[in-house]
Amino acid sequence: MPKVTVDGQEIEVPDGATVLQACELAGKEIPRFCYHERLSIAGNCRMCLVEVKPGPPKPQASCALPATEGQEIRTDTQMVQTAREGVMEFLLINHPLDCPICDQGGECDLQDQSVAYGRGASRYDENKRAVTEKYMGPLIKTVMTRCIHCTRCVRFSEEIAGVDEIGAVGRGEDMQITTYLEQAAEHELSANVIDLCPVGALTSRPYAFEARPWELKKTLSIDVSDAVGANIRLDSRGREVMRALPRINDDVNEEWISDKARYQVDGLLHRRLDKVWIRKRGKLQAANWDEAFKKIAAAKPGKKIAAIAGDMVDCETMFAAKKLLGALGSDLLEGRQTGMDYDVSNLAAVNFNSTFAGIENADAILIVGSHIRWEAPLVNVRIRKAVKRGAKIFVVGPEWETTYPASFLGNDLSVLNDLPAEVADAFESAGRPAVIVGGAALKGAHGKALALASSWGADFNVLHFSAARMGGLMLGYSQKGGIKDIVAASPKVVLALGADEMDFGAFGDALKVYIGHHGDKGAHAADIILPAASYAEKDGTYVNTEGRVQFAEKAVFAPGDAREDWTILRALADALGVKVGFDSFAELQAAMIAEVPALGEEGLADYGALPDADESAKAEGVLETYPIKDFYLTNPIARASQVMQQCSAELLHGDEMREAAE
């Protein structure tokens, strides 16, 4: 490890570190616009200038200069100060002075650094250039006159997202950043360029002119739009969630989130259930809590009561329902609402055991029955990193547009029984192979995929697409035959905990009670609707597909008469005349942790070793399609979101956006 001196302080830096990283290790702040820790080095903004000896007697760009033994680095000399002032003057030559109307106001790197490192006054008298606006789709608002050509957005699209859609045209002063042919950026991570942009050139179109950062309350939360469990921050004002932003967590989402996680939050305001409804003579009519509870109690369910958990439910809600059913003598719990019925006797066999960070190190990956780009865009980013390091990717299932080279082996799962020679050779010779099984193949190929992973010494992974799935499995929401077992038990009362994707018709004359937050499919089929809180309106524990336990905090209050789910279930217990053993959220959480200790510790849960593989297992079935048909409309919140509906129409279905006069 080379030793360098930074402003008189000697430090050791890792091999391959840059001068900028050496300065940061020494606690020195180095201004930058183009440099970003997760992107390749461009060295084109020149803001990170420092003085380095030995070397030419001039400022040097620290982001592109390797740190070597014996360097003397100065960040505070007059030469450095004058050079940075000069660079800032050049950057501001064409930048418009429209900070009061710019959505980056208060969060703008250019603003902050011009105050800290720029001159006190401008010497520029010429006209500023102007650049026509570029259309980048329904999510990204562009004011390209502000662009300083840092190329962060270009590098993100090419290197992280793997979609070569943004680039530079022209040279010198005529250079412009644009999407090719000025079309919308059509990938699931496109809006991350808004966070990356150090000026106000790329901002959020749905959030434009809505709020300033100092007006907002910031709450730490977890994304529930998929099973990755991305760490997010919800910014709210009053009772409204204004936006969702990513939090840095290198183990889960690094610092990216999907467009759905970021923009479905406007769905929290639309189609909300804010009062109790009871179906009378075929029509839903407004009612009160007491009337609803009396009607449920009148059904006298006894042991004939079932609970089905939806895709976005927190562990506390599922545990409260489990205690209620247990007090009534029922164990009819299920979380796989679409009818899946795979074996869950060993949770390690349905877990993403590589971990998200670990899959980056795989050198051969077999994906079975998963459209990863839609089911888990952030896992797709990790796989792309593995490909950059030389990994080979093979996919069994219908073809989808990958962001890396991949070989599709067809739709027939039986191909796993006799893999082509080049595929078998690739895995047998791989040092760190991995197998990923998606929800579409859990029934037909789980056993065979586990046997293959065992024979290759590969990591075995299952990729779920529901935020509630692993938590539900830990809490026992799994009948051996899935939902079919619950239908066969003929329950008198069915509690649907935010379950919107299941077939309510299968339950015939049962009293269907929907406890949820949106007027979606579940509410339309229900006999009684009890309005509940969304993930943003309650504290809750979630477990992602790699078995990572995480906690989300309450950002805002639920609207109208809606209540937190656990309080509804607690009141229902009184109406049914049973004791559930908790009267507060703290008591509920303590009881849950006492029963499942892993839910009390944030981090990866220990599910033990994988079961022994059945070497005689065979894969069978043909995959015609994947479970997710539309990336932007996978849950009730997204379906209520006007932004997500617009994305679906424009980016997936190609609808032309009509003007008002049309």
Side-chain angles (χ1 to χ4, degrees), residues 63-87:
C63 69
L65 186 66
T68 57
E69 182 69 36
Q71 278 178 331
E72 290 184 36
I73 304 164
R74 301 295 306 191
T75 68
D76 54 1
T77 63
Q78 185 61 44
M79 178 199 291
V80 171
Q81 180 183 339
T82 304
R84 289 176 181 170
E85 288 178 355
V87 169

Side-chain angles (χ1 to χ4, degrees), residues 555-569:
V556 292
F557 288 95
D561 289 338
R563 297 291 183 266
E564 293 181 30
D565 308 62
W566 75 269
T567 63
I568 297 172
L569 294 162

Side-chain angles (χ1 to χ4, degrees), residues 323-324 326-328 570 573-574 577-582:
K323 295 301 284 184
L324 172 61
L328 290 165
R570 175 65 185 82
D574 284 346
V578 294
K579 300 287 186 183
V580 288
F582 58 85

Side-chain angles (χ1 to χ4, degrees), residues 529-583:
I529 296 173
L530 305 178
S534 72
Y535 76 102
E537 296 151 3
K538 58 186 173 184
D539 292 331
T541 304
Y542 298 90
V543 186
N544 73 358
T545 191
E546 58 174 357
R548 186 179 300 277
V549 180
Q550 303 184 107
F551 189 75
E553 297 176 5
K554 178 177 180 176
V556 292
F557 288 95
D561 289 338
R563 297 291 183 266
E564 293 181 30
D565 308 62
W566 75 269
T567 63
I568 297 172
L569 294 162
R570 175 65 185 82
L572 182 55
D574 284 346
L576 293 171
V578 294
K579 300 287 186 183
V580 288
F582 58 85
D583 294 311

